[in-house]
Amino acid sequence: MHGGAFFDSIGSDFQALDRREQVINADVLDAWYDPSPKVLAAIREHLEWLIKTSPPTHADGLRQVISDERHMPKENIALGSGSSSLMFSALSHLVKPGEKAVVIDPMYGEYEHVLGSLIGAQVVRTEQYSHEQFRPDIDRLVADAKGAKLLAMVNPNSPTGRSIPLFAMKQLLERLDPETILWVDETYIDFVSQAQSMEPLVAASSNLVVCKSMSKFYSLSGLRVGYLGCTPPLVTKLERQTPPWNIGLISQLAAVEALKDRAYYEAMSEETKQLKDQLIGLLGDIDGLITIPSATNFVFMKLPHGGSSDVARRLAEQDIFIRDCDSLSPRFNGEYVRVAVKPEAQNIRIAEALAGTLIGDARN
């Protein structure tokens, strides 16, 4: 189960895209800002040619730019049409049926789905607790990962927004059994700082996989570009099963231009932090609503009276879509929702709609 229910209002046949101006799609974590102006200028200049032309077969130019900009050797980079496609293809090479795999609870639910339902691994959940504001605990992770083939985590985590600093992630890697693979999904790491990424550690680590999406931070969700930092043998295995032209030409060009425009995205990250603080302040005025500290472009919160699915439904009736988090942990029991950071006017609209809904619940 994923976000994206806002397409029910816009229409997935794309015949009423003008309605997107009325809809707030805060149930998915897409960037509120546009891609780099350099991305847009390059696409506009060459659009007709980009649409009709086959891309470089194996995206070697994109691989080189990733290597240069993200400090990993080319032989340690596996490319894919989004990080989710890489999860589906790579995890089965790393974990076999019946082997122990550890995931954080709560966390992006696709990991448990792939590891448990598709691969048939023995999935163990390491719980993060509400009384600790869902702060990950390194000692618990190390203990629960004993005997595991893989420990999968998202850092910063979704849906909570909590982040583990690089020095602590290095300690975690050092304390794990060398036979235990540490899979770190860094989709949101650049909202903290590029310097917090584990990518530079990949070349010297035999049991580290860093999963990267270019969707959220780089504002390229619609183009589906992702990559793994991993060992050369895993890159080879994946490329044997990867079809040619796996990443479209517009996507390759956009990713190259985005990676090179660090200044623009750092500025957008700073503005996102300001908008996030504004949103948290607005939500803080709602009696009983508890927000969790977030290092990302979204805010995770506990509702005062539960009923997350009903709250999400009632906001959707106002063309405001937020994420009911029940599918992300069996412990949530209708208590938690998540909203993406949006521009100021939309943040105000989200907070006002939530306040109105929750005040109505309290009166009833």
Side-chain angles (χ1 to χ4, degrees):
M1 182 177 180
H2 294 277
F6 66 91
F7 268 112
D8 294 339
S9 183
I10 293 175
S12 58
D13 61 357
F14 314 116
Q15 300 306 300
L17 289 180
D18 56 326
R19 272 193 49 75
R20 73 186 188 277
E21 302 298 336
Q22 304 170 39
V23 172
I24 299 179
N25 59 331
D27 58 331
V28 292
L29 302 179
D30 298 335
W32 62 269
Y33 48 86
D34 291 335
S36 159
K38 295 179 181 178
V39 170
L40 298 177
I43 292 173
R44 287 172 179 143
E45 182 179 357
H46 306 288
L47 181 59
E48 293 83 358
W49 181 82
L50 292 166
I51 291 173
K52 69 183 182 183
T53 303
S54 297
T57 309
H58 303 294
D60 291 328
L62 172 57
R63 191 191 311 269
Q64 182 63 62
V65 173
I66 293 170
S67 175
D68 294 341
E69 297 293 330
R70 306 301 302 203
H71 312 300
M72 285 189 295
K74 290 189 296 183
E75 58 267 26
N76 291 95
I77 299 170
L79 299 170
S81 54
S83 58
S84 292
S85 71
L86 289 163
M87 290 166 49
F88 274 75
S89 59
L91 286 171
S92 62
H93 289 286
L94 301 175
V95 183
K96 301 304 177 187
E99 291 183 324
K100 179 180 175 182
V102 178
V103 299
I104 291 177
D105 177 11
M107 193 175 80
Y108 178 50
E110 207 66 73
Y111 282 104
E112 183 176 14
H113 170 64
V114 174
L115 291 167
S117 300
L118 301 185
I119 295 175
Q122 175 196 351
V123 178
V124 174
R125 291 172 171 266
T126 293
E127 294 185 354
Q128 302 166 95
Y129 297 107
S130 58
H131 69 271
E132 299 174 344
Q133 294 189 306
F134 297 97
R135 183 174 56 252
D137 186 282
I138 298 297
D139 291 334
R140 282 201 297 267
L141 287 169
V142 172
D144 287 347
K146 292 291 185 183
K149 183 64 177 179
L150 180 136
L151 166 60
M153 56 193 303
V154 181
N155 185 47
N157 191 25
S158 174
T160 66
R162 300 310 305 261
S163 178
I164 303 175
L166 179 59
F167 77 87
M169 291 299 298
K170 289 180 178 178
Q171 292 175 0
L172 172 61
L173 181 62
E174 291 168 357
R175 292 175 62 186
L176 289 176
D177 189 301
E179 300 302 313
T180 300
I181 298 164
L182 176 60
W183 176 293
V184 185
D185 185 325
E186 290 189 345
T187 294
Y188 309 99
I189 195 70
D190 290 286
F191 288 109
V192 183
S193 168
Q194 181 176 330
Q196 290 296 306
S197 174
M198 297 187 81
E199 288 168 294
L201 306 179
V202 165
S205 304
S206 61
N207 63 331
L208 174 64
V209 177
V210 178
C211 181
K212 306 293 291 196
S213 169
M214 293 197 66
S215 292
K216 314 306 184 188
F217 181 74
Y218 290 103
S219 195
L220 301 180
S221 290
L223 297 183
R224 313 311 306 154
V225 183
Y227 61 93
L228 296 182
C230 56
T231 62
L234 180 56
V235 173
T236 300
K237 289 179 182 178
L238 292 173
E239 292 191 341
R240 284 174 183 162
Q241 298 178 353
T242 299
W245 313 295
N246 188 37
I247 303 174
L249 185 53
I250 293 177
S251 299
Q252 290 187 36
L253 173 61
V256 165
E257 293 295 333
L259 285 162
K260 291 180 177 180
D261 197 355
R262 184 181 299 184
Y264 171 79
Y265 286 103
E266 287 179 350
M268 291 301 98
S269 178
E270 184 58 37
E271 194 167 345
T272 299
K273 292 175 185 177
Q274 295 171 11
L275 288 168
K276 177 186 63 183
D277 290 343
Q278 174 212 46
L279 178 58
I280 290 174
L282 292 168
L283 296 171
D285 293 333
I286 302 174
D287 287 343
L289 188 71
I290 299 173
T291 59
I292 305 302
S294 172
T296 62
N297 65 327
F298 55 88
V299 180
F300 180 62
M301 67 198 81
K302 184 176 182 181
L303 300 172
H305 310 294
S308 58
S309 62
D310 185 57
V311 169
R313 177 187 59 79
R314 288 155 69 185
L315 264 65
E317 292 172 352
Q318 304 172 55
D319 280 337
I320 299 172
F321 292 83
I322 66 173
R323 181 66 190 272
D324 170 15
C325 291
D326 265 7
S327 66
L328 300 176
S329 173
R331 300 181 290 134
F332 279 167
N333 298 316
E335 293 184 313
Y336 291 91
V337 297
R338 186 196 67 197
V339 299
V341 172
K342 293 294 177 182
E344 181 176 1
Q346 292 190 8
N347 283 343
I348 293 171
R349 189 174 153 200
I350 291 169
E352 289 178 346
L354 260 176
T357 300
L358 297 177
I359 289 170
D361 288 344
R363 288 174 178 168
N364 293 331

